[in-house]
Amino acid sequence: MLYYSTRDKNRRVTASRAISDGLAPDGGLYIPECIPRVSAEKLEALCKANYRERATYIMGLYLDEFSEDELRAMTEQAYGENFETESPAPLRFVDEETAYLELWHGPSCAFKDMALQMLPHLLTASLKKCGEERNVCILTATSGDTGKAALEGFCEVPGTRVVVFYPQDGVSEMQKLQMVTQKGSNVLVSAVEGNFDDAQTGVKKIFGDKALAERLNEKAVFLSSANSMNWGRLLPQIVYYFSAYCDYVISGKLRCGEKLDFCVPTGNFGNILAGYYAKRMGLPVGRLLCASNANDVLTEFIETGVYNRNRSFHTTISPSMDILVSSNLERLLMLLSESDSEVRTYMETLSEKGCYTVSDSVRQGVQETLSAGCCDDVRTKETIAAVFNTYNYLIDPHTAVAARVLDDYREKTGEKHPCVVVSTANPYKFASDVLNALGGEAEECRLLEALSEKSSTNVPAPLRGLHDLPVRFGGCVAKADMSALVENYLS
Ligand SMILES: *Cc1c(COP(=O)(O)O)cnc(C)c1O
């Protein structure tokens, strides 16, 4: 199966090339040229399989250059003891029609691990298949969760280095601690003066620096990215939609073949797009609910067909969803319009005017599957408290946004179909706001214990003792010095 760029259908490459490159050279995103189908019989068979077997099968449909044995070895390593739970993605029911899909039992305590524990295996194998002999340096700007997940995923992976930049004042204390105490001989972490946009622009500038690329090439190094524009990050995410469906069936609360809705807390549109792929592959998905925080650009888009980033940016208690340009939406536009020139026009209009309107047929295609809703910080906190008080179940602010949007949707439609709320972070990762939502308060260094006492739950192992670890990366650079830091590190 080949992959093509959303901005040029004639630019076709193998899966290994798409994964090695991340982004297409024309700025587009790679997508598979067709979508494989999973039959009803196969779905029944997958219900009996474990997560690793499900992952081997689903990923194999898109990766014909990889043998089944090769993929099995990868899924066993990616989804093994590095996760706290028997299944890396367990379902937790709160009532007959509602379950939370917990995607945060990995080393960084957020759902990015589902993809970033797999990506290093996919990437190193892809580089080999492409005959690439240089070392790769993964360069990332993070608003919090991607950075730690990339560090954990690539730590001590031969032939790779990782450099992570985070905004000095833009991440939670816990997220910062997770990164600056990272172990490993092939990692570098630095704060950047400014906000996430400054870090992100700095990184993009480094990627665009041809002279730097040339100098690195002489040292047999090249730069690549671990953000969700890479197909190698999206593909592992399709798996957990299948897995959640199978586990719902196993629970006896759904018959195989019946429809299941999903409600997804959304930022860059990667997570929910994986759900859309699962539906197109034949998984009986009903509606996909796209949940946003106060940054409601996607809510408006799904309801009206107008994408408008010209609005104020809100800093919220669900920071991983604070985003105005959802990059992966470009892939959905391609799937619905089937026209690279149409996608190119939308993206050009977006970069010139900050706004575009899709055709009637694309809007109808969007609305056929997706519904949307949003939720501000006050209602997010109310929801954390309500879910805890009603079900004795603790959720993080991102997940709470989705929980609230689902409630609103059920109230509006007057129907209660079976639905999975995709739960994206461990509540302890955002201990301060979660504790606050439950009416508690504590000093920074006592937050985890205080939340544990208040909620009668356990502090997750990866966050325990973080305060006692030595800080390895205390530095902060000006935006102008990011490039030199990277080059020095790689020399
Ligand atoms: C990254 C992230 C999201 C948003 O996911 P997208 O794929 O960018 O839509 C939601 N919640 C958490 C906790 C995240 O880390």
Side-chain angles (χ1 to χ4, degrees), residues 110-112 145 265-271 320-321 396 398 424-425:
F111 96 100
K112 305 289 194 292
D145 290 331
T266 299
N268 222 358
F269 208 76
N271 196 350
S320 301
M321 294 153 68
D396 97 288
H398 303 78
T424 49

Side-chain angles (χ1 to χ4, degrees), residues 132-191:
E132 181 61 74
E133 284 173 348
R134 296 171 297 174
N135 287 338
V136 60
C137 174
I138 305 295
L139 180 60
T140 308
T142 182
S143 61
D145 290 331
T146 298
K148 179 61 179 179
L151 290 163
E152 283 291 334
F154 283 94
C155 175
E156 307 299 9
V157 173
T160 74
R161 306 258 202 124
V162 196
V163 179
V164 171
F165 288 108
Y166 68 92
Q168 187 176 24
D169 301 314
V171 300
S172 83
E173 188 58 25
M174 196 62 62
Q175 290 174 318
K176 177 175 167 182
L177 264 181
Q178 281 186 308
M179 291 187 278
V180 298
T181 58
Q182 175 67 40
K183 298 192 177 76
S185 59
N186 63 335
V187 305
L188 177 69
V189 177
S190 174

Side-chain angles (χ1 to χ4, degrees), residues 405-449:
V405 165
L406 174 59
D407 270 354
D408 291 348
Y409 180 77
R410 283 173 167 172
E411 198 162 298
K412 193 177 77 187
T413 57
E415 292 175 0
K416 194 175 182 190
H417 298 296
C419 185
V420 168
V421 177
V422 178
S423 178
T424 49
N426 189 311
Y428 281 87
K429 206 162 176 179
F430 302 92
S432 169
D433 290 314
V434 172
L435 183 63
N436 187 255
L438 300 183
E441 234 178 280
E443 282 169 54
E444 190 63 54
C445 61
R446 275 212 71 251
L447 273 174
L448 297 179
E449 286 164 86

Side-chain angles (χ1 to χ4, degrees), residues 139 197-207 479 482-483:
L139 180 60
D197 267 340
D198 293 308
Q200 170 111 312
T201 331
V203 161
K204 281 190 179 152
K205 217 167 135 200
I206 298 175
F207 273 118
K479 204 165 123 188
M482 290 167 67
S483 178

Side-chain angles (χ1 to χ4, degrees), residues 286-304:
R287 295 211 71 75
L288 286 170
L289 306 182
C290 176
S292 302
N293 61 24
N295 297 291
D296 58 355
V297 59
L298 283 168
T299 314
E300 181 176 279
F301 171 71
I302 289 166
E303 283 171 355
T304 66

